[in-house]
Amino acid sequence: MRRGATFVLLSALAALSGCEKKAPAAAPVAPPPVTAEITVSDQLAAFDTPINAVAFWTHPKIPFNGLALVATDKALVALNIEDGAEVARIDGIAAKGVSVAYTGYGADAWGYAAVETGGQSAAIALYAIDNVSRTLTPVAMTPIPVASGDRGFCIGRDEAGKGLLLHIMRADGWSTIPIAIASDGASVGGRKSAAFGGGLLSCAADDLDTSFFATAPGGAVVHVDKNGVAGGAPFARTPMSAPAGLGIVLNGLIEGGPTDECCGEALVLDGETGGVYVFDHDDGKPLGLVTIKASFDVDGVAKATAIGVGTGNFGGVYRDGVVAIGTAGEKPAVRLVPVNSVLDALGVKFGEAADRRMLNPHDEEETGFPINIPPPQHP
């Protein structure tokens, strides 16, 4: 079901006070989910070090020239979707996490990768992704220190679509930090935190309304709305003690179809089995569990360390979006499956994939064009 609020982006920061939120209430035991097995479509790359995170960037004009950004203990690597060719690399950093967001609108939107570097001076830095060369360029700004208790993070648009909101999950709740983009770099605003019993583990920003989804110890999925409010009951529940990550798929309403076939899904990774639990984006309804088996030339997924979800058209079989799984083991690899394979296997109806470059504030019930916000000058 669609959330009743409109997509007009209001500040998510104003309500991020220190008021403690309760841990997710225990939910009734759900019946066994619908399960389906799908075949892996491709292996994008293999690494000699664990894969910590995967994020996607869409190309402004050529779908199959989108990028998968892979964070490992040795580097941040950007790979071409079509053939897995390395496009860009930042060596010498222990990249513990990566998340991508955009400022501006449409083909002129500018993508930014937030990257957590490990070590004694662990911090989150920002890299601009060039729309033509696809190179990664450090953005001039004060690095954001990784504080004691910080866990996973995600980044999304701010309420105006011209800046970014960095959400950091913590052992005692979460923090949100605004980042203003200017022609000569970026400025970091103050950290505003909210307590949440039991803490949160990982998150995925929702560009529809500046809210975010997060995983919690015990298997809960929590939705923190655009006003910074987490409900007392969990948005969804999984049987995992500690989900390995999550991502959001955004897709439109099938023409003439009911509104419960809109507007996306939340995918949660079970690292112990490599399975992916799928929930309705708007009401948390469980849609099923997908496992990934081998093809004739690519291994399947048994254990995993990371999930990345690309919303939009990435060309070919990935025209409705792409899911990447970072596998565990001696030879970690990034393996891909199309979003439409996941949803078709579970009998989920869906419309055209949303392009995150095209998402801007507009009323949920309107069918016209989204508001065009001029892009900021990029560094």
Side-chain angles (χ1 to χ4, degrees):
M1 301 295 176
R2 307 175 89 182
R3 293 196 294 272
T6 67
F7 290 169
V8 177
L9 300 189
L10 302 176
S11 173
L13 300 178
L16 286 178
S17 66
C19 297
E20 183 170 0
K21 310 296 188 296
K22 295 182 179 179
V29 177
V34 175
T35 60
E37 188 177 52
I38 62 175
T39 302
V40 67
S41 60
D42 201 2
Q43 178 168 298
L44 199 61
F47 296 85
D48 60 358
T49 186
I51 296 166
N52 298 320
V54 183
F56 286 94
W57 172 86
T58 58
H59 193 279
K61 296 180 180 179
I62 307 171
F64 50 80
N65 274 1
L67 298 176
L69 284 80
V70 184
T72 76
D73 284 344
K74 293 183 178 179
L76 175 70
V77 184
L79 304 170
N80 191 57
I81 295 296
E82 182 180 32
D83 54 12
E86 184 177 305
V87 175
R89 170 185 287 264
I90 305 295
D91 280 314
I93 60 172
K96 298 299 183 180
V98 60
S99 181
V100 171
Y102 303 84
T103 59
Y105 176 75
D108 292 325
W110 205 257
Y112 295 90
V115 183
E116 180 186 338
T117 59
Q120 292 184 345
S121 301
I124 296 175
L126 200 63
Y127 292 83
I129 306 170
D130 191 276
N131 278 338
V132 178
S133 67
R134 299 184 291 171
T135 52
L136 301 171
T137 304
V139 175
M141 74 173 200
T142 303
I144 300 169
V146 175
S148 175
D150 284 357
R151 293 171 171 172
F153 67 93
C154 55
I155 196 166
R157 295 176 186 266
D158 68 7
E159 65 276 8
K162 299 179 181 180
L164 303 170
L165 292 175
L166 177 67
H167 306 291
I168 301 174
M169 305 302 98
R170 292 183 44 78
D172 57 2
W174 76 87
S175 296
T176 294
I177 301 172
I179 302 175
I181 304 295
S183 59
D184 58 350
S187 57
V188 178
R191 177 187 289 237
K192 296 188 177 181
S193 299
F196 190 90
L200 298 171
L201 299 172
S202 60
C203 66
D206 188 344
D207 284 332
L208 291 180
D209 60 2
T210 72
S211 66
F212 66 86
F213 293 83
T215 58
V221 179
V222 178
H223 179 242
V224 178
D225 70 19
K226 61 186 179 182
N227 297 312
V229 177
F235 173 80
R237 291 200 69 90
T238 73
M240 296 171 271
S241 60
L246 82 163
I248 297 173
V249 175
L250 298 175
N251 39 62
L253 176 65
I254 297 174
E255 186 173 355
T259 57
D260 61 1
E261 293 173 1
C262 175
C263 294
E265 297 75 36
L267 280 60
V268 186
L269 175 65
D270 184 343
E272 289 300 311
T273 67
V276 177
Y277 288 84
V278 183
F279 300 91
D280 185 88
H281 166 276
D282 293 323
D283 63 9
K285 175 184 176 182
L287 301 175
L289 167 66
V290 168
T291 59
I292 302 170
K293 66 179 180 179
S295 68
F296 71 94
D297 62 346
V298 179
D299 290 339
V301 177
K303 288 182 178 288
T305 58
I307 183 171
V309 177
T311 283
N313 182 359
F314 289 85
V317 297
Y318 308 118
R319 63 189 178 278
D320 296 312
V322 57
V323 179
I325 305 293
T327 65
E330 294 182 2
K331 297 181 180 180
V334 176
R335 298 197 176 117
L336 305 180
V337 292
V339 164
N340 51 31
S341 291
V342 174
L343 301 183
D344 285 342
L346 298 175
V348 177
K349 296 180 180 180
F350 58 97
E352 183 178 354
D355 183 348
R356 292 181 67 201
R357 289 176 172 272
M358 303 295 289
L359 295 176
N360 270 291
H362 63 284
D363 190 284
E364 182 176 3
E365 302 302 328
E366 300 223 354
T367 57
F369 297 105
I371 299 170
N372 189 338
I373 298 177
Q377 291 181 304
H378 55 80

